[in-house]
Amino acid sequence: PCCPGADSCCPGDEVASIRGRLGVDADLLGIPVAPPSADDSDAHTMNIQWQRLTDAHGETCDRCGTTEVAVREATSRLAKVLTPFGMEVRLTTAELGADTFLATPEASNRIWIAGKPLEDLLEAEVGMSACGSCGDLCGEDAVCRTVSVGGLTYEAVPADLIVQAGLVAASQLIRDERPGLGLTYCLE
């Protein structure tokens, strides 16, 4: 393998369920456990789906606003890298209202790439921390999602992490559907 000390450079295809992380039935809580829309990613198209809290005017919290800039930048960067492989990259977004967000804040600022949660692609942990901006939008104290990977915790998901997860997903799509053609990558 290309990563020292690793059995493989490709994370497993297992997708960890949010049910296991929360220890409850996420469907009953209304937490989206699948991408907000049907994912039809394949070796020719990779879908990136992002959802976040919005108020009645379409405004979002500061964290999600920062992630929005990052996810758009990452989508553009991935499109440039993956075009030579014949792969189109598409971004779709979904909104969570205040009531849904307050019941399930871990569903906000969530990214799926090729139908897999970003945290699964990067073997990251999901957490929560107080978010004054979400509280302002919802009219009460609120917490918002964080992602921890490589010993660092991010309140807003940076473009570099999204690109890294996108390359992992693209490699899996190409490997699964076009044997003999693939992207080589190494997670540090």
Side-chain angles (χ1 to χ4, degrees):
C2 64
C3 300
D7 294 330
S8 168
C9 287
C10 301
D13 290 329
E14 306 84 25
V15 177
S17 167
I18 195 167
R19 287 179 186 90
R21 287 193 289 273
L22 295 177
V24 296
D25 188 339
D27 291 331
L28 294 176
L29 294 175
I31 299 170
V33 294
S37 63
D39 186 80
D40 60 349
S41 294
D42 59 26
H44 303 288
T45 305
M46 183 171 68
N47 294 307
I48 300 173
Q49 297 173 314
W50 171 63
Q51 68 184 21
R52 79 283 189 207
L53 164 67
T54 59
D55 67 9
H57 307 290
E59 297 295 318
T60 193
C61 78
D62 294 341
R63 291 182 194 187
C64 290
T66 300
T67 299
E68 180 174 15
V69 171
V71 79
R72 292 185 188 286
E73 176 189 330
T75 299
S76 175
R77 288 168 52 190
L78 285 164
K80 288 177 185 174
V81 169
L82 297 174
T83 297
F85 291 93
M87 187 177 290
E88 175 187 3
V89 180
R90 293 189 299 215
L91 172 64
T92 58
T93 62
E95 299 178 354
L96 299 175
D99 290 340
T100 301
F101 169 79
L102 288 170
T104 58
E106 58 278 345
S108 186
N109 209 19
R110 190 150 191 218
I111 300 168
W112 289 267
I113 302 175
K116 297 180 181 180
L118 173 132
E119 60 268 19
D120 290 352
L121 292 164
L122 297 178
E123 299 179 2
E125 296 292 323
V126 174
M128 306 296 289
S129 67
C131 181
S133 179
C134 287
D136 292 344
L137 287 174
C138 296
E140 62 183 79
D141 289 343
V143 294
C144 196
R145 177 184 182 86
T146 62
V147 175
S148 298
V149 63
L152 298 173
T153 298
Y154 301 92
E155 292 182 337
V157 184
D160 287 346
L161 283 184
I162 301 166
V163 169
Q164 183 178 9
L167 292 174
V168 171
S171 179
Q172 292 172 355
L173 289 170
I174 291 170
R175 180 194 66 217
D176 292 347
E177 295 195 24
R178 291 163 58 185
L181 176 65
L183 299 174
T184 301
Y185 63 92
C186 183
L187 302 177
E188 298 180 346

